[in-house]
Amino acid sequence: MFEALQNIFKIPELKKRVLFSLGMLAVYRVGCHIPTPGIDRIALSHFFKQAQGTLLGMFDMFSGGALERLTVFALGIMPYISSSIIFQLLTVVVPAIEKLSKEGESGRKKIIQYTRYGTIVLSFVQGLGIAIGLESMRGPAGELVVPNPGWSFRLMTVITLTAGTAFIMWLGEQMSEKGIGNGISLIIFAGIIARIPTALSNTFRLVNAGQLSLFILVFVLAVMFAVIAGIVFVERGQRRLPIHYAKRVVGLKTFNSQTSHLPLKVNMAGVIPPIFASSIIMFPATIANFINIPWIQKGAKSLTPGNWVYNIFFVAFILFFCYFYTAVTFNPVDVAENVKKHGGYIPGIRPGKETSDFIDSVLTRLTFAGAIYISIVCVLPSILIGKFNLPFYFGGTALLIAVGVGMDTVAQIESHLITRNYEGFLKGVRIRGRK
């Protein structure tokens, strides 16, 4: 392990990419501590202490604690993710955008540009909702969170939060292009990891005070380690479809028959479904928290993590996005055509349509298994943590994102090392990402 870390700095390109990503993450963490003007920090801090384990607490987890302090990065990267969801859905239902997606690099850049515009619009709407909501919040002694409410405060807050999200979006794109790993995923990863030291210190403080049983703490930690082991095991799982290539003659060369395989991941969609599902639920529920209408407040309260209504919606969205994202990123018809074009076939299956139907049926069953696995990982630990009233929200969603992004990033680093004849992180073992 340590030798592999040393090898990273022996490769100039890899060293540059790793240091660039670390530098961008450092900039992001600094921005998470730059406050938005016009806020009473103490009153806001007291309000968010009561929001731990709620939807606002979950939103704060994705922003790395920036929402609790209402910094310039308080909205985090979630508006960008919501905009990405919208345009991926529109790719399926709007012919013009579907045509753009098939135009190669130029079409992809155009869709990315539209996604950026959508991010700004969503950031503006969410920022305005948060600004209006903050004006009605009060601290434990009845003091206003916003000492000087009004449109000047609202406009300043909206502009600040929107600019912060736009900057995070730019950071993520720069990290994906010039760094190592997926920039957006790494930003979410950094926000989750940054909460661990504080969460652990608060937990041990409760243990020392006798408010939390040592047995319960050990039990929950054992569950977390078991979930991590399960994530690693399933994320590495594959269904390998055998493919035979017949003997063929190309020019003066004769190629003998060969046997290969088509790897299909158990979880083809990776961490995208829980991120998308969380984003979909958080957007309307967060706005509802700031509207003082009884039935809307009741609906928002039912959409808190651990509530059975929230869990039903969460699992339903995970199932939907597992199938949707797999369908968008993997086309069985194209795969079957490529296999047929190169003279390959799956034993017992005719090339062409029958091959694509067979791959689609296998992929459908795998996706269902993967969706059930993601649902269990995301919901079960959250229920356990809610039952034991732990002072932080670090459930299955956070574990899945942290472990999945970590595996992908390590896999990319290892591929650079092995390509240049260096030993990977584990001798004799090849670490695979989820893709």
Side-chain angles (χ1 to χ4, degrees):
M1 174 71 76
F2 293 105
E3 183 180 350
L5 292 174
Q6 291 176 354
N7 290 336
I8 291 176
F9 296 95
K10 295 179 182 178
I11 304 172
E13 180 189 355
L14 182 57
K15 175 184 175 181
K16 182 179 179 181
R17 285 180 173 273
V18 170
L19 292 178
F20 183 84
S21 292
L22 291 176
M24 293 295 100
L25 289 176
V27 171
Y28 166 68
R29 291 308 303 165
V30 169
C32 287
H33 292 82
I34 300 176
T36 301
I39 302 292
D40 185 338
R41 312 291 161 201
I42 298 176
L44 185 65
S45 176
H46 284 297
F47 177 84
F48 267 92
K49 282 181 181 179
Q50 301 172 357
Q52 292 299 318
T54 67
L55 202 64
L56 285 176
M58 186 177 179
F59 207 147
D60 190 47
M61 177 194 72
F62 279 107
S63 67
L67 181 61
E68 180 180 354
R69 296 182 291 270
L70 203 77
T71 67
V72 293
F73 291 164
L75 289 180
I77 199 63
M78 298 310 287
Y80 179 80
I81 295 173
S82 300
S83 181
S84 299
I85 296 171
I86 292 171
F87 279 96
Q88 286 195 5
L89 291 173
L90 291 178
T91 301
V92 179
V93 299
V94 178
I97 299 181
E98 183 182 5
K99 183 179 178 182
L100 274 179
S101 67
K102 296 179 179 179
E103 291 181 359
E105 187 66 20
S106 61
R108 188 182 70 86
K109 288 182 177 180
K110 202 70 176 177
I111 293 176
I112 290 176
Q113 187 177 5
Y114 292 152
T115 303
R116 292 169 181 163
Y117 294 152
T119 301
I120 300 301
V121 173
L122 290 177
S123 299
F124 186 90
V125 173
Q126 286 186 326
L128 182 60
I130 288 175
I132 294 174
L134 286 170
E135 292 178 342
S136 62
M137 292 181 186
R138 293 180 179 271
E143 68 276 20
L144 290 172
V145 171
V146 181
N148 299 304
W151 276 106
S152 59
F153 166 76
R154 295 175 186 177
L155 290 176
M156 175 63 71
T157 302
V158 167
I159 293 172
T160 302
L161 298 184
T162 302
T165 296
F167 185 70
I168 295 176
M169 177 176 62
W170 178 83
L171 282 180
E173 292 178 351
Q174 292 299 307
M175 288 167 62
S176 298
E177 181 181 350
K178 301 178 182 179
I180 195 80
N182 182 285
I184 302 300
S185 297
L186 283 174
I187 287 174
I188 299 175
F189 173 84
I192 294 172
I193 295 299
R195 304 295 302 276
I196 294 179
T198 303
L200 290 178
S201 65
N202 290 338
T203 303
F204 287 121
R205 190 178 299 116
L206 288 181
V207 172
N208 292 332
Q211 299 179 19
L212 183 65
S213 160
L214 182 61
F215 173 77
I216 293 178
L217 175 62
V218 172
F219 173 73
V220 173
L221 289 176
V223 171
M224 290 176 63
F225 281 116
V227 170
I228 292 173
I231 292 172
V232 174
F233 178 78
V234 176
E235 294 294 341
R236 290 170 58 88
Q238 293 180 345
R239 167 71 189 277
R240 297 186 176 187
L241 300 181
I243 298 178
H244 291 180
Y245 292 93
K247 182 178 180 179
R248 54 200 175 103
V249 179
V250 180
L252 299 177
K253 293 184 178 181
T254 301
F255 294 89
N256 295 325
S257 59
Q258 298 177 347
T259 300
S260 182
H261 67 270
L262 174 65
L264 298 178
K265 301 285 291 180
V266 175
N267 180 22
M268 294 286 287
V271 300
I272 297 299
I275 294 176
F276 279 13
S278 300
S279 179
I280 289 290
I281 296 175
M282 280 194 292
F283 179 72
T286 302
I287 300 300
N289 272 291
F290 301 134
I291 300 177
N292 291 321
I293 299 177
W295 66 270
I296 292 181
Q297 289 289 322
K298 186 177 179 180
K301 189 176 180 180
S302 67
L303 291 176
T304 56
N307 188 287
W308 66 271
V309 176
Y310 171 87
N311 290 334
I312 289 175
F313 276 103
F314 195 34
V315 171
F317 280 125
I318 286 176
L319 286 168
F320 170 76
F321 282 115
C322 277
Y323 280 100
F324 174 77
Y325 195 77
T326 300
V328 169
T329 57
F330 189 93
N331 190 335
V333 175
D334 292 342
V335 173
E337 287 298 322
N338 288 331
V339 170
K340 181 180 178 181
K341 189 183 301 181
H342 290 87
Y345 64 94
I346 297 175
I349 307 295
R350 290 185 178 181
K353 188 178 185 305
E354 288 192 14
T355 298
S356 66
D357 290 342
F358 175 74
I359 294 175
D360 183 62
S361 64
V362 173
L363 191 61
T364 299
R365 292 194 293 268
L366 279 177
T367 302
F368 180 76
I372 296 300
Y373 140 75
I374 293 177
S375 300
I376 292 174
V377 168
C378 291
V379 172
L380 181 59
S382 303
I383 294 175
L384 293 175
I385 290 175
K387 292 293 183 182
F388 295 128
N389 295 320
L390 291 181
F392 62 95
Y393 187 86
F394 192 73
T397 304
L399 286 176
L400 182 65
I401 294 171
V403 175
V405 173
M407 287 178 63
D408 283 347
T409 306
V410 170
Q412 287 194 28
I413 294 174
E414 188 172 66
S415 66
H416 279 275
L417 293 172
I418 293 176
T419 302
R420 292 163 178 80
N421 299 319
Y422 284 94
E423 187 67 43
F425 283 93
L426 300 175
K427 293 185 178 180
V429 178
R430 179 69 186 273
I431 297 177
R432 295 192 302 265
R434 292 173 284 106
K435 297 180 180 179

